[in-house]
Amino acid sequence: MLLAVFLGSQAHAFLLPKEQIETYLFRFELEGAKKLSLQLTNEGHKQFYVAHSQMYKYFATQDPKLANEIRKNWNTYTAAVSKLPDSEKDIYLSELHGKRAIMEFLERKYVTASRFGRNSFNLVNSYKKKYPNSAESLKMQGLFNVVLGNVPRRYQWIANLLGFKGDLKKGLRQLENAGKYSKILRHEAQLILCTIEKSMLDRPQEAIVRLEKARAKYGKNILLDYLYASGLLRLKKNEEALVVLNRSQLYDFNKVQFIPFWDFLHGKACYYKNDLSGAQKHLALFVRGYKGKLMRTDAYFRLGMALTLKKRYDLGKPFFELIAKEEHGGFDEDEYAQYMAKKFSEKEPDAITLSLFQARNYFDGGYYSKSSAILRQLKIFLPKDSKHRTELNYRFARIYHSLGKLDQASTYYNASIEANGADKDVYLKAYASYFLGEIAREKGERQTAKSKYEKALTYENYFYQSGLENRCKAALTNLK
């Protein structure tokens, strides 16, 4: 019996090294993954996993030094992988080129990103033709189908470049099956699927159910905890998210790669609770530990707003001035943050604007009664023709919608669309149209839902446009 156990443990240690490396990657023990990768005798597999340990580290920190190191070693990675057997070569190369495309996109090197994206797309198609029944190409096929089947107008050039429209439903099935049957980075497929459900498709509850099963199965895991906390925030379950975010001390960061976005989430959660000092602490940790641009503008804006809400606009103003003249991070939240920062760098926000910000924060955290109390006070004093009416009505609508009071929510969404708001409030009208579509869908009124989603897609040049277009296109696909 003891001999069998010994032989079994030896078989696990010596016969399944790639599985061990993938377990390290899944746990985000990236240095452990790299060290074990260097012990592989197959040079192609060695360089494939060394590259992944480095790219995962880059995605966590977006440190430009790591990006340059990956570029420097790129030919080493790909030359070795190119010598793998035909049954592996193209799909391994597709994985590498796909991640390089994402890295270059995040670095804003869009031409380079498109080149690597096209390489990845062609390689996965080549592999699929040779091995049509293989599960190994499902993840990359699924990723291309989801992204290009749901691409916002801003990034339509990607689909045009590849000459591929994508198929959202097919892509989701492919990712699901890749997570079950693939032997290459299977856990990665599961994480991608959760991220897509949570963010791109606005289905955080589905992602939460999936993540709860994974957390029960795999135990302590910083990637699962991070996505779980993020999903809870999307569901406006701020207190539950804070419980998860306070678990960071359970991880040994001598082994596990820390994710600076953990501090960003923690800062937001504190912000939503009106724990402004806690928000400042974690957002400051984020901007110190994170080297990229993504969400940095938003973090600086929140730091400025935390001080302004504490009645220290004099201390918050330098944050607004800083990001008003810098190029923003490129994502929806950063674009909004920079626009507002430019306004607040010139003039201190008035009491009504600050009250609406506070109401929004409480709502985003799921503190609906606190948010509603602020809005009711504003409703009493605001003139009917106030430029703030669009936002006031929209905020009321969101609360009623979240509480399941659909008729009241519809009334306020329509009032928000009809009100004469400020130029920046176009995004509120677009989102109000989308949520009217969601209400119609919940009531089983499919044609009305379709018309509301299509109406939302007619709005142009507004904040959070890419995210809303993703949602509308996904909703319209699901109605077919």
Side-chain angles (χ1 to χ4, degrees), residues 108 286-287 292-293 295-305 316-330 333-346 357:
R108 297 189 167 201
F286 167 70
V287 296
K293 290 186 177 181
M295 307 308 289
R296 180 178 290 274
T297 306
D298 186 67
Y300 276 128
F301 178 66
R302 291 180 189 276
L303 282 166
M305 284 305 298
K317 185 178 180 180
F319 287 102
F320 301 142
E321 292 174 333
L322 173 67
I323 58 178
K325 46 191 174 180
E326 286 189 348
E327 187 179 23
H328 65 72
E333 291 84 349
D334 290 327
E335 186 178 9
Y336 175 81
Q338 187 172 63
Y339 176 91
M340 298 305 294
K342 285 180 179 178
K343 286 187 169 296
F344 295 166
S345 67
E346 297 167 359
F357 261 96

mmCIF file of all heavy atoms in Angstrom, residues 108 286-287 292-293 295-305 316-330 333-346 357:
data_model
loop_
_atom_site.group_PDB
_atom_site.id
_atom_site.type_symbol
_atom_site.label_atom_id
_atom_site.label_comp_id
_atom_site.label_asym_id
_atom_site.label_seq_id
_atom_site.Cartn_x
_atom_site.Cartn_y
_atom_site.Cartn_z
ATOM 1 N N ARG A 108 -0.917 50.252 -25.785
ATOM 2 C CA ARG A 108 -1.398 51.195 -26.800
ATOM 3 C C ARG A 108 -0.605 51.139 -28.102
ATOM 4 O O ARG A 108 -0.565 52.104 -28.851
ATOM 5 C CB ARG A 108 -1.408 52.625 -26.256
ATOM 6 C CG ARG A 108 -2.359 52.805 -25.092
ATOM 7 C CD ARG A 108 -2.501 54.249 -24.736
ATOM 8 N NE ARG A 108 -3.633 54.427 -23.848
ATOM 9 C CZ ARG A 108 -4.269 55.583 -23.656
ATOM 10 N NH1 ARG A 108 -3.893 56.639 -24.314
ATOM 11 N NH2 ARG A 108 -5.282 55.664 -22.821
ATOM 12 N N PHE A 286 -2.640 51.217 -4.699
ATOM 13 C CA PHE A 286 -2.783 50.796 -6.093
ATOM 14 C C PHE A 286 -1.889 51.608 -7.019
ATOM 15 O O PHE A 286 -1.142 51.041 -7.825
ATOM 16 C CB PHE A 286 -4.247 50.920 -6.527
ATOM 17 C CG PHE A 286 -4.447 50.800 -8.012
ATOM 18 C CD1 PHE A 286 -4.269 49.585 -8.663
ATOM 19 C CD2 PHE A 286 -4.812 51.907 -8.776
ATOM 20 C CE1 PHE A 286 -4.432 49.476 -10.041
ATOM 21 C CE2 PHE A 286 -4.989 51.803 -10.138
ATOM 22 C CZ PHE A 286 -4.798 50.588 -10.774
ATOM 23 N N VAL A 287 -1.941 52.930 -6.925
ATOM 24 C CA VAL A 287 -1.169 53.746 -7.867
ATOM 25 C C VAL A 287 0.329 53.620 -7.616
ATOM 26 O O VAL A 287 1.133 53.840 -8.539
ATOM 27 C CB VAL A 287 -1.610 55.234 -7.837
ATOM 28 C CG1 VAL A 287 -3.041 55.378 -8.294
ATOM 29 C CG2 VAL A 287 -1.420 55.852 -6.476
ATOM 30 N N GLY A 292 0.961 50.335 -14.910
ATOM 31 C CA GLY A 292 0.300 50.630 -16.180
ATOM 32 C C GLY A 292 -0.596 51.846 -16.105
ATOM 33 O O GLY A 292 -0.631 52.565 -15.098
ATOM 34 N N LYS A 293 -1.357 52.074 -17.179
ATOM 35 C CA LYS A 293 -2.247 53.229 -17.258
ATOM 36 C C LYS A 293 -3.701 52.880 -17.020
ATOM 37 O O LYS A 293 -4.496 53.735 -16.630
ATOM 38 C CB LYS A 293 -2.107 53.892 -18.640
ATOM 39 C CG LYS A 293 -0.779 54.592 -18.845
ATOM 40 C CD LYS A 293 -0.754 55.346 -20.167
ATOM 41 C CE LYS A 293 0.556 56.118 -20.329
ATOM 42 N NZ LYS A 293 0.575 56.870 -21.611
ATOM 43 N N MET A 295 -7.056 52.285 -15.634
ATOM 44 C CA MET A 295 -7.748 52.630 -14.393
ATOM 45 C C MET A 295 -6.946 53.545 -13.467
ATOM 46 O O MET A 295 -7.422 53.920 -12.400
ATOM 47 C CB MET A 295 -8.178 51.366 -13.620
ATOM 48 C CG MET A 295 -8.988 50.384 -14.433
ATOM 49 S SD MET A 295 -10.427 51.107 -15.261
ATOM 50 C CE MET A 295 -11.495 51.420 -13.879
ATOM 51 N N ARG A 296 -5.740 53.925 -13.858
ATOM 52 C CA ARG A 296 -4.961 54.861 -13.033
ATOM 53 C C ARG A 296 -5.661 56.222 -12.969
ATOM 54 O O ARG A 296 -5.721 56.845 -11.904
ATOM 55 C CB ARG A 296 -3.546 55.003 -13.597
ATOM 56 C CG ARG A 296 -2.653 55.958 -12.809
ATOM 57 C CD ARG A 296 -1.254 56.006 -13.394
ATOM 58 N NE ARG A 296 -0.559 54.761 -13.147
ATOM 59 C CZ ARG A 296 0.122 54.496 -12.030
ATOM 60 N NH1 ARG A 296 0.180 55.392 -11.063
ATOM 61 N NH2 ARG A 296 0.734 53.347 -11.872
ATOM 62 N N THR A 297 -6.195 56.676 -14.120
ATOM 63 C CA THR A 297 -6.916 57.950 -14.142
ATOM 64 C C THR A 297 -8.109 57.903 -13.195
ATOM 65 O O THR A 297 -8.357 58.836 -12.424
ATOM 66 C CB THR A 297 -7.399 58.263 -15.571
ATOM 67 O OG1 THR A 297 -6.276 58.210 -16.454
ATOM 68 C CG2 THR A 297 -8.032 59.635 -15.654
ATOM 69 N N ASP A 298 -8.845 56.805 -13.240
ATOM 70 C CA ASP A 298 -10.007 56.633 -12.368
ATOM 71 C C ASP A 298 -9.583 56.636 -10.902
ATOM 72 O O ASP A 298 -10.253 57.245 -10.055
ATOM 73 C CB ASP A 298 -10.716 55.326 -12.717
ATOM 74 C CG ASP A 298 -12.010 55.147 -11.959
ATOM 75 O OD1 ASP A 298 -12.948 55.930 -12.204
ATOM 76 O OD2 ASP A 298 -12.089 54.243 -11.112
ATOM 77 N N ALA A 299 -8.464 55.980 -10.594
ATOM 78 C CA ALA A 299 -7.983 55.931 -9.205
ATOM 79 C C ALA A 299 -7.612 57.320 -8.706
ATOM 80 O O ALA A 299 -7.969 57.707 -7.578
ATOM 81 C CB ALA A 299 -6.787 54.988 -9.103
ATOM 82 N N TYR A 300 -6.889 58.091 -9.521
ATOM 83 C CA TYR A 300 -6.528 59.453 -9.125
ATOM 84 C C TYR A 300 -7.775 60.318 -8.934
ATOM 85 O O TYR A 300 -7.849 61.133 -8.008
ATOM 86 C CB TYR A 300 -5.612 60.087 -10.171
ATOM 87 C CG TYR A 300 -4.148 59.738 -10.020
ATOM 88 C CD1 TYR A 300 -3.426 59.238 -11.103
ATOM 89 C CD2 TYR A 300 -3.485 59.912 -8.806
ATOM 90 C CE1 TYR A 300 -2.075 58.909 -10.976
ATOM 91 C CE2 TYR A 300 -2.147 59.593 -8.658
ATOM 92 C CZ TYR A 300 -1.442 59.091 -9.761
ATOM 93 O OH TYR A 300 -0.113 58.779 -9.621
ATOM 94 N N PHE A 301 -8.752 60.135 -9.824
ATOM 95 C CA PHE A 301 -9.984 60.914 -9.694
ATOM 96 C C PHE A 301 -10.692 60.585 -8.386
ATOM 97 O O PHE A 301 -11.175 61.482 -7.675
ATOM 98 C CB PHE A 301 -10.904 60.636 -10.880
ATOM 99 C CG PHE A 301 -12.221 61.353 -10.812
ATOM 100 C CD1 PHE A 301 -12.279 62.733 -10.896
ATOM 101 C CD2 PHE A 301 -13.404 60.649 -10.651
ATOM 102 C CE1 PHE A 301 -13.492 63.412 -10.833
ATOM 103 C CE2 PHE A 301 -14.619 61.308 -10.580
ATOM 104 C CZ PHE A 301 -14.670 62.697 -10.671
ATOM 105 N N ARG A 302 -10.755 59.298 -8.055
ATOM 106 C CA ARG A 302 -11.405 58.909 -6.806
ATOM 107 C C ARG A 302 -10.640 59.444 -5.590
ATOM 108 O O ARG A 302 -11.247 59.783 -4.566
ATOM 109 C CB ARG A 302 -11.544 57.385 -6.729
ATOM 110 C CG ARG A 302 -12.554 56.824 -7.725
ATOM 111 C CD ARG A 302 -12.662 55.312 -7.627
ATOM 112 N NE ARG A 302 -13.465 54.749 -8.702
ATOM 113 C CZ ARG A 302 -14.787 54.655 -8.692
ATOM 114 N NH1 ARG A 302 -15.459 55.082 -7.626
ATOM 115 N NH2 ARG A 302 -15.446 54.138 -9.707
ATOM 116 N N LEU A 303 -9.307 59.499 -5.694
ATOM 117 C CA LEU A 303 -8.526 60.089 -4.603
ATOM 118 C C LEU A 303 -8.882 61.569 -4.438
ATOM 119 O O LEU A 303 -9.051 62.063 -3.309
ATOM 120 C CB LEU A 303 -7.033 59.930 -4.887
ATOM 121 C CG LEU A 303 -6.439 58.548 -4.614
ATOM 122 C CD1 LEU A 303 -5.053 58.412 -5.242
ATOM 123 C CD2 LEU A 303 -6.357 58.288 -3.108
ATOM 124 N N GLY A 304 -8.989 62.273 -5.556
ATOM 125 C CA GLY A 304 -9.383 63.674 -5.487
ATOM 126 C C GLY A 304 -10.783 63.858 -4.937
ATOM 127 O O GLY A 304 -11.046 64.754 -4.128
ATOM 128 N N MET A 305 -11.700 62.979 -5.352
ATOM 129 C CA MET A 305 -13.077 63.077 -4.878
ATOM 130 C C MET A 305 -13.195 62.712 -3.407
ATOM 131 O O MET A 305 -14.008 63.301 -2.683
ATOM 132 C CB MET A 305 -13.980 62.181 -5.714
ATOM 133 C CG MET A 305 -14.318 62.728 -7.088
ATOM 134 S SD MET A 305 -15.045 64.379 -7.050
ATOM 135 C CE MET A 305 -16.555 64.090 -6.107
ATOM 136 N N GLY A 316 -7.689 67.944 -2.822
ATOM 137 C CA GLY A 316 -8.146 67.115 -3.933
ATOM 138 C C GLY A 316 -7.849 67.717 -5.288
ATOM 139 O O GLY A 316 -7.611 66.993 -6.264
ATOM 140 N N LYS A 317 -7.810 69.048 -5.367
ATOM 141 C CA LYS A 317 -7.616 69.734 -6.640
ATOM 142 C C LYS A 317 -6.345 69.311 -7.376
ATOM 143 O O LYS A 317 -6.381 69.126 -8.608
ATOM 144 C CB LYS A 317 -7.624 71.245 -6.419
ATOM 145 C CG LYS A 317 -7.553 72.042 -7.709
ATOM 146 C CD LYS A 317 -7.624 73.546 -7.457
ATOM 147 C CE LYS A 317 -7.539 74.314 -8.771
ATOM 148 N NZ LYS A 317 -7.602 75.789 -8.547
ATOM 149 N N PRO A 318 -5.189 69.123 -6.693
ATOM 150 C CA PRO A 318 -3.982 68.689 -7.425
ATOM 151 C C PRO A 318 -4.159 67.365 -8.169
ATOM 152 O O PRO A 318 -3.558 67.168 -9.229
ATOM 153 C CB PRO A 318 -2.924 68.572 -6.323
ATOM 154 C CG PRO A 318 -3.375 69.539 -5.267
ATOM 155 C CD PRO A 318 -4.873 69.460 -5.299
ATOM 156 N N PHE A 319 -4.985 66.443 -7.631
ATOM 157 C CA PHE A 319 -5.257 65.188 -8.341
ATOM 158 C C PHE A 319 -6.026 65.476 -9.628
ATOM 159 O O PHE A 319 -5.746 64.891 -10.682
ATOM 160 C CB PHE A 319 -6.050 64.228 -7.457
ATOM 161 C CG PHE A 319 -5.254 63.609 -6.353
ATOM 162 C CD1 PHE A 319 -5.358 64.077 -5.046
ATOM 163 C CD2 PHE A 319 -4.390 62.550 -6.613
ATOM 164 C CE1 PHE A 319 -4.625 63.499 -4.026
ATOM 165 C CE2 PHE A 319 -3.645 61.966 -5.591
ATOM 166 C CZ PHE A 319 -3.758 62.449 -4.294
ATOM 167 N N PHE A 320 -7.015 66.375 -9.543
ATOM 168 C CA PHE A 320 -7.786 66.725 -10.736
ATOM 169 C C PHE A 320 -6.885 67.386 -11.781
ATOM 170 O O PHE A 320 -6.976 67.095 -12.970
ATOM 171 C CB PHE A 320 -8.936 67.663 -10.373
ATOM 172 C CG PHE A 320 -9.901 67.106 -9.363
ATOM 173 C CD1 PHE A 320 -10.454 67.915 -8.373
ATOM 174 C CD2 PHE A 320 -10.279 65.768 -9.391
ATOM 175 C CE1 PHE A 320 -11.350 67.416 -7.448
ATOM 176 C CE2 PHE A 320 -11.178 65.254 -8.463
ATOM 177 C CZ PHE A 320 -11.709 66.084 -7.486
ATOM 178 N N GLU A 321 -6.022 68.274 -11.320
ATOM 179 C CA GLU A 321 -5.121 68.982 -12.236
ATOM 180 C C GLU A 321 -4.146 68.014 -12.899
ATOM 181 O O GLU A 321 -3.820 68.157 -14.089
ATOM 182 C CB GLU A 321 -4.361 70.071 -11.493
ATOM 183 C CG GLU A 321 -5.246 71.216 -11.028
ATOM 184 C CD GLU A 321 -4.513 72.223 -10.156
ATOM 185 O OE1 GLU A 321 -3.527 71.833 -9.492
ATOM 186 O OE2 GLU A 321 -4.928 73.394 -10.136
ATOM 187 N N LEU A 322 -3.691 67.032 -12.132
ATOM 188 C CA LEU A 322 -2.733 66.052 -12.657
ATOM 189 C C LEU A 322 -3.329 65.273 -13.821
ATOM 190 O O LEU A 322 -2.721 65.170 -14.896
ATOM 191 C CB LEU A 322 -2.310 65.089 -11.548
ATOM 192 C CG LEU A 322 -1.431 63.906 -11.968
ATOM 193 C CD1 LEU A 322 -0.061 64.390 -12.414
ATOM 194 C CD2 LEU A 322 -1.306 62.906 -10.825
ATOM 195 N N ILE A 323 -4.517 64.727 -13.636
ATOM 196 C CA ILE A 323 -5.082 63.858 -14.679
ATOM 197 C C ILE A 323 -5.768 64.658 -15.785
ATOM 198 O O ILE A 323 -6.005 64.130 -16.866
ATOM 199 C CB ILE A 323 -6.053 62.810 -14.088
ATOM 200 C CG1 ILE A 323 -7.198 63.464 -13.342
ATOM 201 C CG2 ILE A 323 -5.308 61.845 -13.200
ATOM 202 C CD1 ILE A 323 -8.196 62.470 -12.776
ATOM 203 N N ALA A 324 -6.071 65.952 -15.515
ATOM 204 C CA ALA A 324 -6.709 66.764 -16.555
ATOM 205 C C ALA A 324 -5.782 66.981 -17.738
ATOM 206 O O ALA A 324 -6.229 67.117 -18.871
ATOM 207 C CB ALA A 324 -7.130 68.116 -15.975
ATOM 208 N N LYS A 325 -4.473 66.974 -17.494
ATOM 209 C CA LYS A 325 -3.526 67.251 -18.582
ATOM 210 C C LYS A 325 -2.769 66.005 -19.042
ATOM 211 O O LYS A 325 -1.943 66.093 -19.938
ATOM 212 C CB LYS A 325 -2.545 68.345 -18.164
ATOM 213 C CG LYS A 325 -1.949 68.204 -16.797
ATOM 214 C CD LYS A 325 -1.203 69.467 -16.392
ATOM 215 C CE LYS A 325 -0.722 69.368 -14.957
ATOM 216 N NZ LYS A 325 -0.012 70.545 -14.502
ATOM 217 N N GLU A 326 -3.046 64.849 -18.456
ATOM 218 C CA GLU A 326 -2.403 63.614 -18.896
ATOM 219 C C GLU A 326 -3.329 62.829 -19.826
ATOM 220 O O GLU A 326 -4.549 63.002 -19.804
ATOM 221 C CB GLU A 326 -2.050 62.726 -17.693
ATOM 222 C CG GLU A 326 -0.871 63.223 -16.884
ATOM 223 C CD GLU A 326 -0.427 62.199 -15.847
ATOM 224 O OE1 GLU A 326 -1.164 61.219 -15.619
ATOM 225 O OE2 GLU A 326 0.643 62.395 -15.265
ATOM 226 N N GLU A 327 -2.761 61.952 -20.618
ATOM 227 C CA GLU A 327 -3.560 61.047 -21.444
ATOM 228 C C GLU A 327 -4.193 60.003 -20.534
ATOM 229 O O GLU A 327 -3.509 59.378 -19.720
ATOM 230 C CB GLU A 327 -2.667 60.364 -22.486
ATOM 231 C CG GLU A 327 -3.434 59.548 -23.497
ATOM 232 C CD GLU A 327 -2.511 58.899 -24.523
ATOM 233 O OE1 GLU A 327 -1.322 58.713 -24.222
ATOM 234 O OE2 GLU A 327 -2.992 58.573 -25.617
ATOM 235 N N HIS A 328 -5.505 59.814 -20.680
ATOM 236 C CA HIS A 328 -6.173 58.874 -19.772
ATOM 237 C C HIS A 328 -5.894 57.428 -20.181
ATOM 238 O O HIS A 328 -5.359 57.147 -21.249
ATOM 239 C CB HIS A 328 -7.683 59.142 -19.701
ATOM 240 C CG HIS A 328 -8.435 58.922 -20.966
ATOM 241 N ND1 HIS A 328 -8.676 57.664 -21.479
ATOM 242 C CD2 HIS A 328 -9.033 59.783 -21.819
ATOM 243 C CE1 HIS A 328 -9.385 57.758 -22.580
ATOM 244 N NE2 HIS A 328 -9.607 59.031 -22.820
ATOM 245 N N GLY A 329 -6.302 56.497 -19.305
ATOM 246 C CA GLY A 329 -5.953 55.091 -19.475
ATOM 247 C C GLY A 329 -6.601 54.394 -20.643
ATOM 248 O O GLY A 329 -6.220 53.284 -20.985
ATOM 249 N N GLY A 330 -7.604 54.999 -21.259
ATOM 250 C CA GLY A 330 -8.160 54.441 -22.479
ATOM 251 C C GLY A 330 -9.446 53.665 -22.299
ATOM 252 O O GLY A 330 -10.119 53.345 -23.274
ATOM 253 N N GLU A 333 -14.128 54.039 -17.848
ATOM 254 C CA GLU A 333 -14.073 54.697 -16.550
ATOM 255 C C GLU A 333 -13.018 55.801 -16.530
ATOM 256 O O GLU A 333 -13.220 56.858 -15.928
ATOM 257 C CB GLU A 333 -13.788 53.673 -15.447
ATOM 258 C CG GLU A 333 -14.909 52.699 -15.182
ATOM 259 C CD GLU A 333 -14.893 51.506 -16.126
ATOM 260 O OE1 GLU A 333 -14.129 51.537 -17.123
ATOM 261 O OE2 GLU A 333 -15.649 50.546 -15.863
ATOM 262 N N ASP A 334 -11.888 55.558 -17.194
ATOM 263 C CA ASP A 334 -10.830 56.558 -17.236
ATOM 264 C C ASP A 334 -11.264 57.791 -18.028
ATOM 265 O O ASP A 334 -10.939 58.927 -17.678
ATOM 266 C CB ASP A 334 -9.568 55.964 -17.872
ATOM 267 C CG ASP A 334 -8.899 54.923 -16.980
ATOM 268 O OD1 ASP A 334 -8.953 55.070 -15.758
ATOM 269 O OD2 ASP A 334 -8.316 53.969 -17.522
ATOM 270 N N GLU A 335 -11.994 57.555 -19.115
ATOM 271 C CA GLU A 335 -12.461 58.660 -19.948
ATOM 272 C C GLU A 335 -13.406 59.568 -19.163
ATOM 273 O O GLU A 335 -13.307 60.799 -19.209
ATOM 274 C CB GLU A 335 -13.159 58.097 -21.190
ATOM 275 C CG GLU A 335 -13.571 59.142 -22.195
ATOM 276 C CD GLU A 335 -14.220 58.544 -23.429
ATOM 277 O OE1 GLU A 335 -14.502 57.319 -23.423
ATOM 278 O OE2 GLU A 335 -14.451 59.291 -24.393
ATOM 279 N N TYR A 336 -14.327 58.955 -18.437
ATOM 280 C CA TYR A 336 -15.256 59.722 -17.605
ATOM 281 C C TYR A 336 -14.507 60.482 -16.515
ATOM 282 O O TYR A 336 -14.761 61.676 -16.284
ATOM 283 C CB TYR A 336 -16.289 58.785 -16.973
ATOM 284 C CG TYR A 336 -17.229 59.467 -16.006
ATOM 285 C CD1 TYR A 336 -18.329 60.171 -16.475
ATOM 286 C CD2 TYR A 336 -17.004 59.409 -14.634
ATOM 287 C CE1 TYR A 336 -19.198 60.809 -15.591
ATOM 288 C CE2 TYR A 336 -17.862 60.050 -13.745
ATOM 289 C CZ TYR A 336 -18.957 60.743 -14.225
ATOM 290 O OH TYR A 336 -19.808 61.373 -13.347
ATOM 291 N N ALA A 337 -13.576 59.800 -15.860
ATOM 292 C CA ALA A 337 -12.821 60.424 -14.772
ATOM 293 C C ALA A 337 -12.052 61.644 -15.267
ATOM 294 O O ALA A 337 -12.012 62.679 -14.601
ATOM 295 C CB ALA A 337 -11.866 59.408 -14.155
ATOM 296 N N GLN A 338 -11.447 61.538 -16.449
ATOM 297 C CA GLN A 338 -10.675 62.672 -16.954
ATOM 298 C C GLN A 338 -11.583 63.849 -17.306
ATOM 299 O O GLN A 338 -11.250 65.003 -17.022
ATOM 300 C CB GLN A 338 -9.851 62.263 -18.168
ATOM 301 C CG GLN A 338 -8.901 63.379 -18.618
ATOM 302 C CD GLN A 338 -7.949 62.931 -19.688
ATOM 303 O OE1 GLN A 338 -8.372 62.572 -20.782
ATOM 304 N NE2 GLN A 338 -6.663 62.944 -19.395
ATOM 305 N N TYR A 339 -12.732 63.558 -17.905
ATOM 306 C CA TYR A 339 -13.673 64.630 -18.249
ATOM 307 C C TYR A 339 -14.083 65.397 -16.990
ATOM 308 O O TYR A 339 -14.073 66.634 -16.964
ATOM 309 C CB TYR A 339 -14.892 64.042 -18.947
ATOM 310 C CG TYR A 339 -15.965 65.052 -19.261
ATOM 311 C CD1 TYR A 339 -15.968 65.731 -20.483
ATOM 312 C CD2 TYR A 339 -16.984 65.333 -18.357
ATOM 313 C CE1 TYR A 339 -16.955 66.672 -20.784
ATOM 314 C CE2 TYR A 339 -17.973 66.269 -18.631
ATOM 315 C CZ TYR A 339 -17.952 66.933 -19.843
ATOM 316 O OH TYR A 339 -18.938 67.862 -20.123
ATOM 317 N N MET A 340 -14.472 64.665 -15.951
ATOM 318 C CA MET A 340 -14.915 65.314 -14.723
ATOM 319 C C MET A 340 -13.754 66.026 -14.024
ATOM 320 O O MET A 340 -13.938 67.100 -13.446
ATOM 321 C CB MET A 340 -15.553 64.282 -13.791
ATOM 322 C CG MET A 340 -16.792 63.610 -14.356
ATOM 323 S SD MET A 340 -18.094 64.771 -14.878
ATOM 324 C CE MET A 340 -18.548 65.482 -13.294
ATOM 325 N N ALA A 341 -12.569 65.428 -14.080
ATOM 326 C CA ALA A 341 -11.400 66.048 -13.445
ATOM 327 C C ALA A 341 -11.085 67.404 -14.071
ATOM 328 O O ALA A 341 -10.710 68.352 -13.369
ATOM 329 C CB ALA A 341 -10.196 65.127 -13.551
ATOM 330 N N LYS A 342 -11.237 67.502 -15.397
ATOM 331 C CA LYS A 342 -11.002 68.790 -16.065
ATOM 332 C C LYS A 342 -11.951 69.849 -15.532
ATOM 333 O O LYS A 342 -11.563 71.005 -15.297
ATOM 334 C CB LYS A 342 -11.162 68.633 -17.575
ATOM 335 C CG LYS A 342 -9.990 67.931 -18.247
ATOM 336 C CD LYS A 342 -10.213 67.804 -19.751
ATOM 337 C CE LYS A 342 -9.006 67.125 -20.399
ATOM 338 N NZ LYS A 342 -9.203 66.929 -21.866
ATOM 339 N N LYS A 343 -13.205 69.480 -15.334
ATOM 340 C CA LYS A 343 -14.184 70.430 -14.796
ATOM 341 C C LYS A 343 -13.841 70.821 -13.360
ATOM 342 O O LYS A 343 -13.881 71.999 -12.983
ATOM 343 C CB LYS A 343 -15.585 69.821 -14.855
ATOM 344 C CG LYS A 343 -16.188 69.772 -16.251
ATOM 345 C CD LYS A 343 -17.629 69.320 -16.194
ATOM 346 C CE LYS A 343 -18.332 69.530 -17.525
ATOM 347 N NZ LYS A 343 -18.447 70.940 -17.919
ATOM 348 N N PHE A 344 -13.487 69.824 -12.561
ATOM 349 C CA PHE A 344 -13.242 70.091 -11.146
ATOM 350 C C PHE A 344 -11.889 70.749 -10.902
ATOM 351 O O PHE A 344 -11.656 71.322 -9.833
ATOM 352 C CB PHE A 344 -13.361 68.803 -10.337
ATOM 353 C CG PHE A 344 -14.749 68.202 -10.336
ATOM 354 C CD1 PHE A 344 -14.963 66.900 -9.900
ATOM 355 C CD2 PHE A 344 -15.850 68.927 -10.775
ATOM 356 C CE1 PHE A 344 -16.234 66.343 -9.906
ATOM 357 C CE2 PHE A 344 -17.124 68.386 -10.791
ATOM 358 C CZ PHE A 344 -17.314 67.090 -10.353
ATOM 359 N N SER A 345 -10.991 70.642 -11.863
ATOM 360 C CA SER A 345 -9.711 71.341 -11.711
ATOM 361 C C SER A 345 -9.888 72.844 -11.911
ATOM 362 O O SER A 345 -9.088 73.650 -11.437
ATOM 363 C CB SER A 345 -8.688 70.810 -12.714
ATOM 364 O OG SER A 345 -9.059 71.126 -14.040
ATOM 365 N N GLU A 346 -10.953 73.215 -12.618
ATOM 366 C CA GLU A 346 -11.227 74.631 -12.880
ATOM 367 C C GLU A 346 -12.143 75.244 -11.831
ATOM 368 O O GLU A 346 -12.053 76.436 -11.531
ATOM 369 C CB GLU A 346 -11.872 74.777 -14.261
ATOM 370 C CG GLU A 346 -10.959 74.329 -15.406
ATOM 371 C CD GLU A 346 -11.696 74.173 -16.719
ATOM 372 O OE1 GLU A 346 -12.935 74.401 -16.735
ATOM 373 O OE2 GLU A 346 -11.065 73.820 -17.729
ATOM 374 N N PHE A 357 -22.979 62.618 -6.425
ATOM 375 C CA PHE A 357 -21.858 61.678 -6.354
ATOM 376 C C PHE A 357 -22.009 60.751 -5.156
ATOM 377 O O PHE A 357 -21.798 59.535 -5.258
ATOM 378 C CB PHE A 357 -20.534 62.440 -6.245
ATOM 379 C CG PHE A 357 -19.802 62.590 -7.541
ATOM 380 C CD1 PHE A 357 -19.926 63.732 -8.301
ATOM 381 C CD2 PHE A 357 -18.981 61.572 -8.016
ATOM 382 C CE1 PHE A 357 -19.268 63.874 -9.503
ATOM 383 C CE2 PHE A 357 -18.315 61.694 -9.221
ATOM 384 C CZ PHE A 357 -18.446 62.854 -9.965
#
